[in-house]
Amino acid sequence: MEKILDRFLRYVSVDTQSDENSESQPSSAKQLDLLKMLRDELEAMGIRAELDEFGYVMASIPSNCGKDVPSVGFIAHVDTSPDASGKDIHPQIIPDYDGNDIKLNEKLSLKVSEFPELLQYRGQTIITTDGTTLLGADDKAGVAEIMDAAQYMMEHPEFKHGEIKIAFTPDEEIGRGTVKFDVKKFGARYGYTMDGGAIGELEYENFNAAAATVHIQGRNIHPGYAKGKMMNSILIGMELNAMLPVEQRPEYTEGYEGFLHIVGFNGTVEESTFSYIIRDHDMDLFRQKQEMLRKCVDFINAKYGEGVASVEIRQQYYNMRKEVEPHYHIIEKAVKAMEMEGITPHIQPIRGGTDGANLSFMGMPCPNIFAGGHNFHGKLEFVPLESMEKASKVILNIVSLFATD
């Protein structure tokens, strides 16, 4: 068996950053470098695998338990977030972590005062960045865990299991991870994404999500002659944004509380664009937030003239609880699989989304299991090695529970 650490380090060395401005599938060709590697590694294990034209690796391990049990799939994404560089990653490995601050470079440290969860991992091996890039544990930790479990199954034929499906996807970080995913072809009755955070996390509720683009059409007049004529689109957009409730910004919300979050701005006096993401677990509140934004646009038009403001709202994904809860036994199996490893399960709503949300609505109920990482999408990302090792064992326990149910 290859050590999971060596596998993880190999995967994070490949730059797989997705590109939200690209229309191709996958959005960046460099994701194929890792996807091809994974296909080849699966085949080298003796597992039938293929990489399709859209960048999906799908693989299948035949049942060896001699009984009719549901096929189970495990899914992880290979792309890293556009929020921070994923090129030339130089992981730092801290064995037997002593509970003190971890220096990443001369300017940046992981401070226990800011991240007290570090103390949970005293005595373990922690993998960090060098403070110049993200690490890529989201979701290459999940990729490594699935591959580690697959290798175990292939090298231990005495381990009984039903049919096991494996998928690695591109473009999850830009919300397009399942756009071309063929659930019927994949063939799993149930699925689990290995894409959660800290050890013990188990999630089958996520945000309903939408993206909104507000366009403000101003009127640029020479400032020396602007009185009564100029309409500064930047200021009008700021006025609209100020109408949105401050307490519904993400920095003031937690748990089941949703938010309206401004994520981008580009503008001049003549015209400006403001970008938002809208999130809520509750469908009624989710719709209310969208309607609130529309009413703000209507107010601006009533004040400054019809057509000054416009908004486009695009639905992204929905809360998978509706699709997963009727199959609650898959949650119960995940809970038991964790408890078998001495892990206390922490069932919580995702304050975000995973590929599993869309896959659940596509006919494959698909909750989300921890991959072990912390501080995703930035230079302070880290993952404890022992969390990845435990996640791989949780996969095997789930497989075993399905086979012996």
Side-chain angles (χ1 to χ4, degrees):
M1 286 282 292
E2 180 181 21
K3 292 182 179 179
I4 197 170
L5 175 60
D6 295 332
R7 193 181 289 283
F8 176 69
L9 295 178
R10 183 166 69 253
Y11 298 159
V12 300
S13 71
V14 184
D15 180 11
T16 56
Q17 190 178 57
S18 47
D19 181 3
E20 56 197 337
N21 297 313
S22 168
E23 297 299 323
S24 64
Q25 172 79 18
S27 65
S28 57
K30 57 190 176 182
Q31 293 180 70
L32 294 170
D33 295 337
L34 181 52
L35 290 160
K36 290 174 182 175
M37 180 191 299
L38 292 168
R39 176 201 59 195
D40 294 346
E41 289 184 8
L42 286 164
E43 290 180 342
M45 293 179 195
I47 300 171
R48 179 173 54 83
E50 65 174 81
L51 170 61
D52 71 16
E53 60 184 307
F54 302 117
Y56 296 111
V57 170
M58 293 188 183
S60 183
I61 303 175
S63 172
N64 71 352
C65 68
K67 55 193 288 191
D68 185 21
V69 298
S71 56
V72 183
F74 296 91
I75 302 103
H77 65 91
V78 302
D79 64 313
T80 59
S81 170
D83 293 343
S85 174
K87 184 179 180 181
D88 297 326
I89 293 174
H90 300 287
Q92 298 188 95
I93 301 171
I94 295 90
D96 195 20
Y97 170 58
D98 60 10
N100 293 318
D101 294 350
I102 300 174
K103 183 177 180 180
L104 304 180
N105 57 37
E106 293 302 319
K107 297 181 179 179
L108 203 60
S109 294
L110 273 169
K111 298 180 180 179
V112 174
S113 61
E114 296 175 347
F115 305 102
E117 60 270 22
L118 280 164
L119 297 177
Q120 300 173 26
Y121 305 111
R122 188 186 279 113
Q124 299 187 24
T125 297
I126 294 182
I127 308 161
T128 74
T129 75
D130 66 354
T132 62
T133 67
L134 48 63
L135 178 62
D138 181 13
D139 186 28
K140 292 171 186 174
V143 173
E145 291 152 10
I146 293 170
M147 291 293 283
D148 186 71
Q151 185 179 8
Y152 182 91
M153 283 185 272
M154 296 306 292
E155 294 186 359
H156 293 80
E158 74 281 2
F159 178 82
K160 299 304 179 183
H161 57 79
E163 185 179 32
I164 304 303
K165 303 291 186 177
I166 294 168
F168 299 119
T169 66
D171 293 339
E172 189 270 355
E173 295 291 0
I174 58 173
R176 288 159 31 194
T178 60
V179 171
K180 302 286 187 178
F181 193 94
D182 189 335
V183 168
K184 185 176 180 180
K185 176 184 175 183
F186 185 50
R189 178 66 186 90
Y190 304 108
Y192 295 89
T193 48
M194 303 299 297
D195 193 21
I199 188 168
E201 285 188 7
L202 173 58
E203 300 146 334
Y204 67 96
E205 301 177 73
N206 61 282
F207 277 141
N208 297 294
T213 302
V214 174
H215 180 262
I216 306 294
Q217 181 59 57
R219 186 164 60 212
N220 193 15
I221 304 293
H222 188 290
Y225 305 91
K227 185 174 181 179
K229 300 175 181 177
M230 177 186 287
M231 292 195 304
N232 190 323
S233 76
I234 300 172
L235 294 175
I236 294 172
M238 291 169 61
E239 180 181 349
L240 184 151
N241 185 70
M243 295 165 63
L244 299 172
V246 171
E247 70 275 8
Q248 290 190 28
R249 295 176 184 172
E251 58 266 40
Y252 301 116
T253 64
E254 62 183 352
Y256 283 97
E257 297 170 334
F259 56 75
L260 280 150
H261 179 33
I262 185 167
V263 295
F265 160 77
N266 183 39
T268 62
V269 172
E270 180 69 19
E271 61 180 319
S272 298
T273 299
F274 294 74
S275 301
Y276 294 86
I277 59 173
I278 305 169
R279 302 288 189 265
D280 209 294
H281 287 91
D282 182 274
M283 180 59 75
D284 289 338
L285 295 176
F286 177 57
R287 289 170 176 154
Q288 288 174 24
K289 287 177 171 58
Q290 296 178 58
E291 185 59 25
M292 182 190 307
L293 187 57
R294 292 189 178 99
K295 287 181 177 179
C296 291
V297 167
D298 291 342
F299 177 87
I300 292 296
N301 285 332
K303 181 176 180 178
Y304 292 100
E306 192 63 35
V308 170
S310 62
V311 60
E312 177 191 358
I313 299 179
R314 303 173 303 283
Q315 306 304 314
Q316 295 175 301
Y317 51 82
Y318 297 106
N319 191 343
M320 64 177 153
R321 177 175 181 171
K322 174 176 175 288
E323 302 298 320
V324 175
E325 205 163 41
H327 308 274
Y328 199 76
H329 66 95
I330 65 176
I331 302 298
E332 293 171 333
K333 284 183 172 62
V335 166
K336 186 173 181 180
M338 292 185 193
E339 292 173 342
M340 289 165 67
E341 295 303 319
I343 300 167
T344 301
H346 179 46
I347 300 177
Q348 62 181 23
I350 309 172
R351 290 186 57 79
T354 70
D355 280 345
N358 285 326
L359 292 172
S360 293
F361 280 92
M362 293 162 68
M364 181 178 65
C366 192
N368 190 44
I369 293 175
F370 73 90
H374 292 256
N375 300 343
F376 296 144
H377 297 190
K379 299 173 183 179
L380 298 173
E381 187 181 4
F382 70 91
V383 61
L385 173 60
E386 288 79 359
S387 294
M388 288 196 291
E389 292 172 338
K390 289 282 190 179
S392 178
K393 291 179 180 178
V394 166
I395 293 172
L396 293 172
N397 290 344
I398 290 172
V399 168
S400 180
L401 288 168
F402 270 97
T404 58
D405 195 2

